[in-house]
Amino acid sequence: MKTAEPVHRLAVLLPYRLAPTRMSVRISPLSAAILCFCAVMAASTAWAQTAPTMLSPLQVIVKWSPLLLRGFAFNILISLLAMLLGTVAGLGLGLALLSQYRLLATASWFVTQFFRNAPWLVLLFFVMFLVPFQITMFNTTVPLPDWIKATVGFALPVMANVAEVVRGAVRSVPSTQWEAAESLSFTRRQTMWLIMLPQCIKRMLTPWMNI
């Protein structure tokens, strides 16, 4: 009987110890938030490792250099066209300043002083925003691109400065040249184009280059 008692106790205790137990897991809101944050950080780190690397400054310059060079060449073209247009218009305005007709000379003087003293940036904005982008004449629409308006905006102050250069150069020629041309029966127009302006080219070249 003494030997059977431990066996009986073992037989009774084994089913109780080997029986499956039930466990309940509770997750607090703070733990859930921490888990979500860790998951987002892990996903962002994995995406950053697979994302393409940033370009170096030299690579960016090489990539955009064709576009920059094209813009630079277009800028030079606008400058040359503005100088050409302003020089031609300034020559006519300068000759109008020297006109014997007082009304024409006065109007030319006001135009010259206005465009000489107005800020170049203000003139550029004035032309760019107030001039329409197209003009319709006789059922024909003529477009005005922005680069044409910019060229005109830069040509206006050039015109005024060239007009003052022309006026100063002609005034610097001694008055005896006018008297000699008049004694040879030259008209005023012939005197201006054949005698005065050829002498003024050398005088006008330096200030024109400064412009």
Side-chain angles (χ1 to χ4, degrees):
M1 294 299 294
K2 293 181 179 180
T3 57
E5 185 176 359
V7 176
H8 178 69
R9 290 180 179 179
L10 182 61
V12 174
L13 294 174
L14 279 176
Y16 174 77
R17 292 183 178 180
L18 295 177
T21 58
R22 296 180 179 178
M23 299 179 60
S24 60
V25 180
R26 294 182 180 179
I27 301 177
S28 62
L30 179 61
S31 301
I34 293 175
L35 290 176
C36 291
F37 178 76
C38 293
V40 172
M41 290 297 295
S44 62
T45 303
W47 179 83
Q49 291 178 355
T50 58
T53 58
M54 296 182 62
L55 298 176
S56 64
L58 181 60
Q59 291 175 339
V60 172
I61 293 175
V62 172
K63 178 181 178 181
W64 293 101
S65 58
L67 184 62
L68 294 175
L69 291 176
R70 186 169 56 188
F72 178 74
F74 200 63
N75 191 6
I76 296 298
L77 177 62
I78 290 177
S79 301
L80 294 177
L81 290 177
M83 282 299 301
L84 178 62
L85 181 62
T87 301
V88 174
L91 179 61
L93 186 61
L95 295 178
L97 288 172
L98 300 170
S99 176
Q100 291 181 328
Y101 299 100
R102 183 172 296 274
L103 181 61
L104 179 59
T106 303
S108 303
W109 182 85
F110 276 108
V111 171
T112 302
Q113 296 303 317
F114 175 78
F115 287 113
R116 280 192 69 198
N117 297 300
W120 288 39
L121 188 60
V122 174
L123 291 176
L124 181 62
F125 274 92
F126 181 84
V127 174
M128 292 294 292
F129 289 105
L130 295 184
V131 175
F133 63 93
Q134 63 181 13
I135 299 176
T136 302
M137 300 177 59
F138 304 106
N139 296 327
T140 302
T141 301
V142 179
L144 295 176
D146 291 336
W147 69 272
I148 292 181
K149 294 192 289 185
T151 302
V152 174
F154 284 122
L156 291 176
V158 172
M159 173 193 67
N161 285 278
V162 170
E164 194 64 24
V165 168
V166 172
R167 186 197 65 80
V170 174
R171 292 298 186 190
S172 66
V173 177
S175 59
T176 54
Q177 298 288 325
W178 291 96
E179 297 172 0
E182 186 178 0
S183 65
L184 295 174
S185 300
F186 280 92
T187 63
R188 183 175 178 84
R189 179 178 299 178
Q190 291 175 339
T191 303
M192 181 67 69
W193 286 99
L194 300 178
I195 299 176
M196 293 299 173
L197 289 181
Q199 298 183 61
C200 294
I201 292 177
K202 187 177 180 180
R203 300 168 187 257
M204 293 187 295
L205 186 59
T206 302
W208 181 82
M209 291 298 296
N210 290 332
I211 298 173

